[in-house]
Amino acid sequence: EEVVPPKEERADIERRQEARDNPVKEPENYKQAVEEYKSTELGGSENAKNKKDTLVNEAQTEEGKAFVDNQVAQLERNEDGTITVYRSGTLQDGHNPATTDKKTAELIANERKKQGLSSDIVEVNVNPSDISVVVPGIESEVFIKIDSTNKDRIDNSTKKEQKTSEQLTTERRGVK
């Protein structure tokens, strides 16, 4: 006897398959911005911020947006239509790099810990429209755009207590 998945799950599988069957080519400028971004180190140097901003700008062009939308359509969804992402460190206003892969988040957290950066992993369910950038590659990296329109909803769907900036500053100083 054939096991038929529930309707929502079937729709999710069909949506993802359709997006895979009709891929949107990664625009050349977007691809270049991704490579530049990937060459930066963890943490927020000015260089890394500039390359991240360039990538965000490319994702907002017509071609970039079409590519991102197609990539997001291929991501696995929860029953409520949200996508689970993981981030090492806190979520703040702006574009927050995160991953859809928990193991990747754990690897990043370990790297951050070695550098004395916050290594807590937050798990968040976001709407597909919250994803502003998809970084192609094995890291399953996405950027989550947070602003006044979605901040409360995202804060409320965060699975781990986020630390205040005071707690983070204390942690960085190594003061207990």
Side-chain angles (χ1 to χ4, degrees):
E1 188 181 328
E2 192 186 351
V3 179
V4 180
K7 202 162 104 184
E8 298 81 31
E9 202 176 310
R10 274 202 318 270
D12 184 53
I13 292 166
E14 285 166 12
R15 177 189 39 73
R16 286 169 36 214
Q17 189 56 53
E18 188 177 331
R20 276 194 287 274
D21 291 346
N22 300 290
V24 172
K25 191 177 179 309
E26 185 176 9
E28 217 35 64
N29 290 347
Y30 188 97
K31 192 180 211 157
Q32 203 173 341
V34 165
E35 283 165 21
E36 292 279 317
Y37 168 74
K38 281 186 170 184
S39 72
T40 62
E41 60 295 329
L42 279 176
S45 72
E46 207 47 49
N47 178 39
K49 280 194 182 81
N50 291 338
K51 290 182 174 174
K52 182 180 141 191
D53 290 345
T54 300
L55 179 51
V56 166
N57 291 337
E58 284 304 324
Q60 291 169 346
T61 65
E62 202 175 320
E63 299 84 10
K65 195 164 172 17
F67 175 73
V68 170
D69 289 347
N70 178 263
Q71 294 292 304
V72 170
Q74 296 177 48
L75 297 173
E76 205 166 317
R77 306 252 173 113
N78 301 311
E79 277 182 21
D80 62 2
T82 60
I83 296 166
T84 302
V85 298
Y86 306 90
R87 175 171 162 82
S88 183
T90 57
L91 287 160
Q92 292 149 358
D93 282 10
H95 299 266
N96 296 261
T99 176
T100 56
D101 182 63
K102 195 170 191 171
K103 285 200 175 4
T104 298
E106 288 163 358
L107 290 170
I108 294 168
N110 288 336
E111 282 305 305
R112 288 177 59 94
K113 196 174 206 159
K114 287 179 201 160
Q115 295 180 21
L117 299 165
S118 168
S119 60
D120 289 337
I121 296 174
V122 282
E123 179 181 326
V124 190
N125 291 343
V126 298
N127 288 344
S129 59
D130 298 328
I131 297 176
S132 58
V133 172
V134 174
V135 182
I138 55 169
E139 300 88 2
S140 308
E141 187 175 1
V142 294
F143 290 3
I144 308 305
K145 182 176 194 290
I146 295 184
D147 59 28
S148 59
T149 65
N150 64 359
K151 190 168 180 37
D152 290 346
R153 174 173 46 77
I154 287 176
D155 284 348
N156 292 336
S157 77
T158 300
K159 302 274 194 312
K160 180 164 192 346
E161 251 341 281
Q162 292 207 52
K163 296 187 173 174
T164 64
S165 51
E166 294 80 43
Q167 287 171 307
L168 290 172
T169 305
T170 306
E171 204 173 86
R172 260 188 226 117
R173 286 196 196 113
V175 181
K176 290 285 175 271

